[in-house]
Amino acid sequence: MKSYIVNKNVVRYEFGKPIETYSVIEKGVSESDIEFKYFQLNLGEEIKLKYNMGKKDIVYGLGENIRGINKRGWIYESFCTDDPNHAPDKKSLYGAHNFFIVDGEKRFGVYIDFPSKIIYDVGYEKKDKLEITIEGKDADIYIINGETVKEIAQNFLKIIGKGYVPPKWAFGYLQSRWSYPTEEAVESLANEFIERDIPCDGICLDLDYMDNYKDFSLSNERFPNFEEVTRRLKSKGVKIIPIIDAGVKIEDGYDIYEEGIEKGYFVTDKDGKPFVAAVWPGKVHFPDFLNKDARKWFGKKYKCLIDKGIEGFWNDMNEPAIFYSENGINDAYRNIDELRTKELNIDSFFKFKDVVLGLSNSMNDYKGFYHKTEDGIVNHYEIHNLYGFNMTKAAAEGFEEIDSNKRFLLFSRASFIGAHRYGGIWTGDNCSWWEHLILNMKMLPSINMCGFIYSGADTCGFGSNVDSELAIRWNQLSIFAPLYRNHSSMGTRNQEPFAFDEYTEKTIKNIIKFRYAMIPYLYSEYMKAINSSDMLIKPLSFEYDDEFVSQIEDQLLVGDSIMIAPVYEQNKSGRYVYLPEDMLLWKVKKYTSKDFDVINKGHNYINLDLNEFALFIRKNRMFVYGEPAQNTELLNNETLNVLAFVADRAEYDLYDDDGISKEYLLGEHSNINITITLEEDKHTIVVKNSGNNKVKELLVTIITAEGKIITEKVNV
Ligand code: MIG
């Protein structure tokens, strides 16, 4: 083991000869001599780390995962997995995010930069033991220090590089379903949003827009006027966002297949022949995203859709998901034939079942193909968790080449830390279950810690049928996630805002409108988080420290000014909240509601009817919002509202930029600095404006600690 000082807070320990994953951008150069602290180490074919957790230690992190914000009490496997059944007994989902923080008797962060399987037993076998098994002997382990958990997270976010920034329209509402199968269906859906006065910025296209599930092809039958429709809808403010799958259909005459074969851009089996798997298109080859040239080639393919007016994509099935492989199915037939020679009994029946059920996403398959990387031929299993990451990278590098100053929307299903620099993620195939609403809430801060700030879950749930109450409550959470998309599976009921009754439609419309009103705040906080390597959505314990906050997992901080406490149980018209300090409760029915109340520090019960949600403004903080519009392009925001809860002094920086170009990277943006001070009976509001923005006036509402309301109009 060698050690390297990355910076004053981070040390990298290099075990063996790790594969370069490109997840970290600052790795430290000169070797140093720093002891590997905290863990008992066990080196062999695998690296094992053991740590004794204190009784009250909390383990934060592991990104997209099941269970709580505190990961204690379960066992997790870092191995990107396509499993649409996110039950509490699962161990992995689609992402592999190997960063965690131990907070307790000792406080430190750990990032394990290793692209194959890692097992985290966080007090599962033995209550107080954290035992990590890295399936290999070559890995980089980073130990990250900081005064507080928040600082540790920031110090980690700094070494992995600034996160992806989507175009501003990607903060609008996105409607999706598997599928809106024809251009007529898509167009009338977009028009329906407009006619019903429900804001919407995009519609996702699922598999059916393609010709026979072929990437970068279009169905002549279902989307004969793809470009025309795309452009027409775009002129109305609704963008079309097509899906791209990892597998490339094997079909003579299909250009992508033929080019890939000719250039050797597909992953190969042990004999060097393109590996054959089956996914939606039927038999496919997988592009070798670990191969620089293949990545470049695939990335440029997005151009054919971009040329037709497309500005955003979602990349799916890139764990990669495998329904079966050709080898796997042949083995299965052989096994079944063998079973057939014997008399069927219970034993052979279960063997038969296992043969069939074991066909998808099998480890044999993941061990059965190879990549051509810069370091030579590598077995897939060794780098499994990098596949989705590199598909995201392929797309992002393609966009860069196609239009280098333009921001494209991109979100992926599989991911690894590092991919956060290239795109966002959605959390895959959840279900329309109340359990998945709370799971969504718990996942958001963990994902943020791992760098994926542009993220969100399928609002209302993907699998199974949603009821109207769950749909409303879910929207009340999702408006606070940067990626706000309603998506559902084939065979489930419709769950667009107007798929229920009048009450539900009106309620969800008001919630979506609130989201649009809030975009000035959300975007400002998003960009400040990216620029300062911070999280956007945090657990309370990242800002407050008392005996209760460390256990709160159902209230979250969104940006620096607000706390949310969504209702996540059925038939509830309220909930308990814990306030670590006095806060201003805004009970929101509509963005125009004026239902404000100062709530005292401590445990409180808050009534929240189905058409209300709670937004808490922290003490000495401000929340800025404007008027909603049909889509983000139409947001006016010449007049903004500032709602401030002030005990003595509050300060806010409202960031904005053009929302479309990459000039923010050069510092191109505007800032409105607002300071409010209260002294005895006198209040002062100072506004400093720099850079170009359209804001002309601020309608300031100050609510004092005693609940006194002061309003003032301020010119900018
Ligand atoms: O095997 O494209 O997670 O969002 O609708 C299912 C169809 C494939 C999985 C994605 C989901 C998408 C679905 N896909």
Side-chain angles (χ1 to χ4, degrees):
M1 183 203 57
K2 296 174 188 164
S3 63
Y4 297 83
I5 296 175
V6 177
N7 60 45
K8 69 177 198 308
N9 299 306
V10 182
V11 181
R12 173 168 66 96
Y13 298 90
E14 187 180 278
F15 294 82
K17 227 178 147 286
I19 290 172
E20 177 56 82
T21 66
Y22 298 100
S23 60
V24 173
I25 58 165
E26 263 184 76
K27 304 187 70 174
V29 277
S30 50
E31 226 186 300
S32 63
D33 186 23
I34 300 177
E35 179 204 356
F36 189 72
K37 271 202 296 200
Y38 305 118
F39 293 95
Q40 183 194 323
L41 252 182
N42 204 324
L43 299 175
E45 282 309 295
E46 299 177 324
I47 302 170
K48 280 190 196 282
L49 307 175
K50 292 188 186 171
Y51 181 75
N52 292 325
M53 296 186 286
K55 193 161 166 265
K56 292 192 171 162
D57 286 11
I58 294 177
V59 178
Y60 294 102
L62 301 183
E64 182 184 274
N65 234 314
I66 35 142
R67 302 242 172 177
I69 291 176
N70 184 352
K71 301 321 278 186
R72 269 186 92 149
W74 191 240
I75 185 163
Y76 309 87
E77 273 179 19
S78 182
F79 197 82
C80 298
T81 306
D82 170 26
D83 181 343
N85 187 11
H86 308 174
D89 62 343
K90 292 300 160 74
K91 296 180 185 154
S92 44
L93 297 175
Y94 312 87
H97 305 149
N98 300 308
F99 172 57
F100 63 92
I101 299 175
V102 176
D103 180 27
E105 286 168 14
K106 289 172 192 147
R107 182 181 293 138
F108 57 95
V110 180
Y111 174 55
I112 304 176
D113 192 2
F114 178 76
S116 191
K117 194 186 277 180
I118 305 175
I119 295 165
Y120 298 89
D121 177 339
V122 194
Y124 166 70
E125 278 294 341
K126 297 188 200 91
K127 201 165 62 56
D128 300 324
K129 296 255 186 301
L130 167 62
E131 299 199 0
I132 301 167
T133 307
I134 303 170
E135 275 198 10
K137 47 188 185 337
D138 308 300
D140 274 318
I141 301 179
Y142 294 77
I143 300 291
I144 300 124
N145 291 303
E147 284 290 304
T148 58
V149 274
K150 178 172 143 181
E151 262 181 49
I152 293 171
Q154 289 169 335
N155 291 338
F156 171 64
L157 292 171
K158 277 187 196 118
I159 64 162
I160 58 171
K162 277 191 187 178
Y164 160 77
V165 174
K168 203 185 210 175
W169 63 262
F171 289 81
Y173 174 82
L174 308 179
Q175 183 63 55
S176 185
R177 178 169 177 82
W178 181 21
S179 260
Y180 300 119
T182 62
E183 61 186 37
E184 289 83 18
V186 172
E187 186 151 23
S188 71
L189 179 73
N191 288 332
E192 192 154 4
F193 272 92
I194 295 168
E195 278 151 26
R196 290 174 184 267
D197 179 34
I198 303 174
C200 176
D201 266 78
I203 295 175
C204 293
L205 297 186
D206 214 314
L207 298 169
D208 292 316
Y209 80 91
M210 297 183 226
D211 169 30
N212 273 306
Y213 305 109
K214 281 182 288 194
D215 279 340
F216 309 111
S217 77
L218 295 172
S219 161
N220 255 330
E221 195 187 316
R222 291 183 300 276
F223 285 80
N225 309 294
F226 183 91
E227 178 166 4
E228 213 182 297
V229 172
T230 296
R231 295 203 185 273
R232 190 158 56 231
L233 291 183
K234 199 151 83 163
S235 72
K236 297 181 182 177
V238 182
K239 315 271 198 293
I240 297 302
I241 306 152
I243 193 171
I244 301 291
D245 274 16
V248 168
K249 186 173 176 66
I250 299 177
E251 186 181 280
D252 286 334
Y254 170 36
D255 52 347
I256 316 255
Y257 160 72
E258 289 187 342
E259 283 168 34
I261 290 287
E262 190 196 309
K263 306 240 167 69
Y265 287 160
F266 294 127
V267 299
T268 52
D269 64 16
K270 62 180 189 325
D271 305 319
K273 291 206 289 291
F275 176 76
V276 183
V279 213
W280 290 109
K283 284 187 186 175
V284 299
H285 293 320
F286 290 121
D288 188 356
F289 294 119
L290 277 289
N291 169 341
K292 199 158 87 291
D293 299 327
R295 210 160 54 225
K296 198 162 183 181
W297 162 74
F298 196 87
K300 277 202 245 165
K301 293 293 170 199
Y302 287 82
K303 185 163 188 300
C304 65
L305 291 165
I306 290 170
D307 285 344
K308 294 189 163 58
I310 297 300
E311 301 181 30
F313 297 89
W314 50 310
N315 284 344
D316 192 18
M317 305 295 272
N318 47 7
E319 294 70 30
I322 299 179
F323 292 168
Y324 64 84
S325 71
E326 197 156 67
N327 293 338
I329 203 104
N330 288 335
D331 283 348
Y333 285 139
R334 258 195 306 279
N335 287 332
I336 288 170
D337 283 343
E338 203 187 300
L339 288 171
R340 213 203 297 267
T341 61
K342 297 170 198 145
E343 199 187 330
L344 188 71
N345 57 30
I346 295 307
D347 190 40
S348 57
F349 165 73
F350 280 107
K351 271 191 190 136
F352 176 86
K353 240 175 114 177
D354 288 348
V355 165
V356 177
L357 293 178
L359 277 170
S360 295
N361 305 323
S362 94
M363 290 305 147
N364 270 345
D365 285 340
Y366 290 134
K367 288 177 177 164
F369 62 93
Y370 297 82
H371 298 267
K372 244 179 249 143
T373 75
E374 279 151 67
D375 301 317
I377 306 278
V378 181
N379 181 272
H380 174 79
Y381 188 85
E382 309 282 310
I383 55 84
H384 174 75
N385 291 335
L386 296 179
Y387 191 74
F389 169 6
N390 281 281
M391 182 179 185
T392 303
K393 195 169 168 183
E397 286 172 345
F399 301 159
E400 181 80 27
E401 202 153 307
I402 294 159
D403 195 342
S404 64
N405 196 30
K406 186 186 169 87
R407 300 187 208 167
F408 288 87
L409 169 59
L410 175 63
F411 52 99
S412 168
R413 196 171 69 176
S415 63
F416 187 77
I417 290 172
H420 72 288
R421 299 194 298 271
Y422 300 96
I425 55 172
W426 93 98
T427 56
D429 301 347
N430 59 3
C431 281
S432 302
W433 300 342
W434 289 90
E435 289 80 355
H436 279 181
L437 171 56
I438 180 72
L439 180 65
N440 181 185
M441 205 187 310
K442 293 177 181 193
M443 235 189 262
L444 282 168
S446 311
I447 292 173
N448 264 249
M449 268 177 74
C450 293
F452 293 92
I453 318 285
Y454 190 76
S455 55
D458 286 353
T459 298
C460 301
F462 176 74
S464 62
N465 293 324
V466 70
D467 61 89
S468 61
E469 186 181 355
L470 177 57
I472 291 171
R473 292 304 193 194
W474 209 316
N475 276 283
Q476 290 172 344
L477 166 66
S478 285
I479 51 167
F480 297 100
L483 168 57
Y484 176 21
R485 182 177 74 140
N486 176 324
H487 181 50
S488 53
S489 179
M490 190 188 269
T492 62
R493 70 171 291 178
N494 276 74
Q495 59 185 38
E496 299 78 15
F498 36 81
F500 308 88
D501 51 24
E502 235 173 87
Y503 172 88
T504 308
E505 174 174 349
K506 187 167 157 230
T507 306
I508 295 179
K509 183 207 279 199
N510 284 333
I511 299 166
I512 298 178
K513 285 198 170 184
F514 190 86
R515 160 64 168 235
Y516 277 72
M518 179 176 71
I519 286 178
Y521 173 78
L522 193 62
Y523 188 71
S524 169
E525 293 302 295
Y526 185 93
M527 292 305 295
K528 288 189 287 182
I530 296 291
N531 285 328
S532 59
S533 300
D534 202 350
M535 299 157 65
L536 172 71
I537 301 182
K538 298 185 190 107
L540 263 58
S541 53
F542 277 46
E543 292 285 350
Y544 298 98
D545 186 13
D546 74 28
E547 61 172 318
F548 296 110
V549 282
S550 62
Q551 295 198 15
I552 293 181
E553 303 207 347
D554 59 357
Q555 302 169 207
L556 296 170
L557 298 168
V558 181
D560 194 46
S561 305
I562 64 173
M563 178 183 87
I564 60 168
V567 174
Y568 54 87
E569 286 177 310
Q570 195 160 19
N571 298 318
K572 290 283 157 74
S573 54
R575 55 162 289 178
Y576 286 94
V577 291
Y578 173 73
L579 268 55
E581 63 179 349
D582 291 358
M583 290 189 189
L584 176 68
L585 167 63
W586 183 5
K587 231 186 244 185
V588 184
K589 266 200 178 79
K590 292 176 78 164
Y591 75 98
T592 47
S593 325
K594 291 259 151 62
D595 190 349
F596 306 130
D597 215 349
V598 176
I599 308 286
N600 292 328
K601 174 181 158 99
H603 298 280
N604 289 277
Y605 185 85
I606 310 289
N607 287 309
L608 293 162
D609 279 342
L610 185 53
N611 60 359
E612 293 173 326
F613 61 91
L615 191 152
F616 292 89
I617 291 141
R618 297 170 64 193
K619 197 197 307 186
N620 286 329
R621 298 288 204 281
M622 298 173 215
F623 177 68
V624 178
Y625 63 101
E627 293 265 328
Q630 184 58 41
N631 56 63
T632 50
E633 267 166 58
L634 297 177
L635 287 172
N636 172 311
N637 293 334
E638 283 182 4
T639 300
L640 289 177
N641 305 290
V642 176
L643 177 59
F645 180 46
V646 190
D648 42 36
R649 183 178 185 279
E651 185 174 349
Y652 187 73
D653 281 305
L654 181 70
Y655 172 107
D656 200 8
D657 59 27
D658 68 15
I660 49 172
S661 80
K662 291 189 185 155
E663 272 147 42
Y664 70 92
L665 288 170
L666 308 168
E668 221 24 75
H669 70 274
S670 71
N671 190 60
I672 302 177
N673 175 275
I674 311 164
T675 311
I676 300 174
T677 31
L678 278 186
E679 257 169 284
E680 280 149 42
D681 267 351
K682 208 173 126 262
H683 72 273
T684 325
I685 305 172
V686 179
V687 176
K688 290 183 217 147
N689 187 10
S690 67
N692 278 328
N693 58 54
K694 296 200 181 101
V695 184
K696 295 209 171 93
E697 59 174 11
L698 302 175
L699 304 178
V700 182
T701 303
I702 303 169
I703 296 183
T704 69
E706 296 75 36
K708 202 176 115 196
I709 302 181
I710 306 162
T711 56
E712 191 172 317
K713 196 195 272 186
V714 185
N715 289 330
V716 176

